[in-house]
Amino acid sequence: MFGLRGEAYVLGVTEFGIAALLAAGAFSPLLSAIGALMGVITFAVTWSFFFTTPGVVKWSLSTDPMAWNLAGEFLFKDIVLLCVCLVLLLASLPRSIVRSRAT
């Protein structure tokens, strides 16, 4: 829709927005929860590329049943970031609910 460069710009702006929300989450649990939810969605989508991109994973019955190339190694980090955002989301939700009820 936007072309390759346009999509890269949209993705970059989105990621900077998520980073800003996560940083602002130090002051507001609601912003932390919103940023963490957006991070979970983003990393879940990019983690799915690990399984849907042809040639990233080579399944075999050898001693190493799953071998990936550099793109696979780069995408594999997203599972850790997905888990971090999920933990942050679960930690932020109760604080944001309590804060919203107190006001």
Side-chain angles (χ1 to χ4, degrees):
M1 180 178 194
F2 301 112
L4 186 60
R5 184 172 293 209
E7 289 177 15
Y9 287 146
V10 169
L11 182 61
V13 168
T14 302
E15 288 180 352
F16 276 120
I18 292 169
L21 285 169
L22 290 172
F27 307 103
S28 169
L30 181 61
L31 293 178
S32 176
I34 293 170
L37 178 63
M38 292 174 69
V40 166
I41 293 167
T42 301
F43 291 123
V45 169
T46 56
W47 173 243
S48 72
F49 296 162
F50 187 81
F51 299 103
T52 59
T53 304
V56 170
V57 177
K58 179 183 175 189
W59 301 97
S60 70
L61 297 176
S62 68
T63 57
D64 186 12
M66 184 173 71
W68 48 74
N69 58 19
L70 288 176
E73 290 176 2
F74 179 76
L75 292 172
F76 193 72
K77 67 162 176 46
D78 288 344
I79 191 67
V80 174
L81 297 173
L82 172 68
C83 293
V84 168
C85 284
L86 189 60
V87 167
L88 184 60
L89 175 64
L90 294 175
S92 298
L93 282 178
R95 292 186 305 148
S96 63
I97 292 170
V98 168
R99 187 172 276 185
S100 68
R101 287 186 181 177
T103 56

